[in-house]
């Protein structure tokens, strides 16, 4: 439902829209820069992994390209989620606070962030596996794990997704109430 939004909400939403745009730009530029560095020097991938099991001198261009491709969906999902948040804050600025559209945008953002967090953990495992294929037998790695760096974004994304569902229920109740009046 469209209503006149409070000035503070307009100000915060405008700020958050700019933050989303800045975050999208930084994520895309940072990812493109990292990908170009890796394509120029495949061994640069070793700097992204701790533990000493990924050796720069053993990484081939094929492995580097595959590792970049395995990690690309994470970047795409994050950019998509940030775009959904940008649109959500735009709706808030216009006074569209409780509607099926805002609920859908929040669910899209939360869902994309959840998928990005899950894929990030999978991509990390696959990248290590790919990048240690040239290691001698016994030094190849299959590292599966979930750290707090991955867990907290996953939990926050889940909360955002759940709030999107709550907002859709609230929008449905509001639409039903308007039908009675």
């Amino acid at each position: 439902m469209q209503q006149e939004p409070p000035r503070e909400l307009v100000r915060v939403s405008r700020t958050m829209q700019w933050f989303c745009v800045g975050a999208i730009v930084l994520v895309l530029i940072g990812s493109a820069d990292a990908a170009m560095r890796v394509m120029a020097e495949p061994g640069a991938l070793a700097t992204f992994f701790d533990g000493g099991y990924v050796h720069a001198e053993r990484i081939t261009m094929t492995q580097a390209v595959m590792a970049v491709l395995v990690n690309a969906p994470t970047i795409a999902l994050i950019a998509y989620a940030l775009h959904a948040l940008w649109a959500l804050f735009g709706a808030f600025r216009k006074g569209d606070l409780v509607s099926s559209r805002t609920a859908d945008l929040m669910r899209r953002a939360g869902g994309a962030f959840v998928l990005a967090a899950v894929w990030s953990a999978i991509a990390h495992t696959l990248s290590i596996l790919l990048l240690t294929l040239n290691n001698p037998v016994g030094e190849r790695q299959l590292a599966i794990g979930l750290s707090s760096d991955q867990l907290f974004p996953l939990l926050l994304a889940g909360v955002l997704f759940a709030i999107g569902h709550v907002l859709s229920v609230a929008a449905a109740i509001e639409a039903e109430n308007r039908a009675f009046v």
Side-chain angles (χ1 to χ4, degrees):
M1 178 178 158
Q2 294 273 357
Q3 59 190 32
E4 184 64 33
R7 282 188 204 151
E8 183 66 15
L9 179 60
V10 171
R11 187 184 67 74
V12 168
S13 294
R14 184 180 303 115
T15 301
M16 292 306 295
Q17 276 191 297
W18 280 108
F19 178 80
C20 288
V21 168
I24 291 170
V25 168
L26 288 175
V27 164
L28 294 178
I29 288 174
S31 300
D33 176 60
M36 286 188 296
R37 281 190 289 128
V38 164
M39 293 302 115
E41 175 54 47
L45 272 171
T47 62
F48 292 100
F49 299 94
D50 296 331
Y53 41 81
V54 176
H55 303 288
E57 66 277 1
R58 294 183 183 148
I59 299 173
T60 66
M61 181 60 78
T62 302
Q63 288 172 301
V65 168
M66 290 175 66
V68 167
L69 291 176
V70 162
N71 286 280
T74 302
I75 304 308
L77 286 165
I78 290 170
Y80 177 80
L82 288 168
H83 180 266
L85 287 178
W86 174 83
L88 177 68
F89 289 119
F92 288 169
R93 278 180 59 196
K94 295 175 185 169
D96 187 10
L97 304 178
V98 180
S99 70
S100 60
R101 178 173 182 265
T102 56
D104 182 55
L105 288 168
M106 191 171 293
R107 277 195 314 264
R108 283 186 202 179
F113 280 134
V114 166
L115 288 174
V118 169
W119 184 252
S120 175
I122 293 168
H124 185 76
T125 299
L126 290 174
S127 294
I128 291 171
L129 181 62
L130 282 168
L131 297 174
T132 60
L133 284 177
N134 290 340
N135 288 1
V137 175
E139 288 185 36
R140 296 177 187 145
Q141 297 285 319
L142 177 61
I144 300 172
L146 188 64
S147 70
S148 61
D149 290 344
Q150 296 161 326
L151 181 62
F152 293 127
L154 180 62
L155 291 173
L156 290 173
V159 167
L160 187 63
F161 187 73
I163 290 172
H165 276 299
V166 170
L167 190 57
S168 69
V169 170
I173 291 170
E174 184 176 1
E176 185 180 324
N177 287 343
R178 273 184 289 161
F180 284 131
V181 175

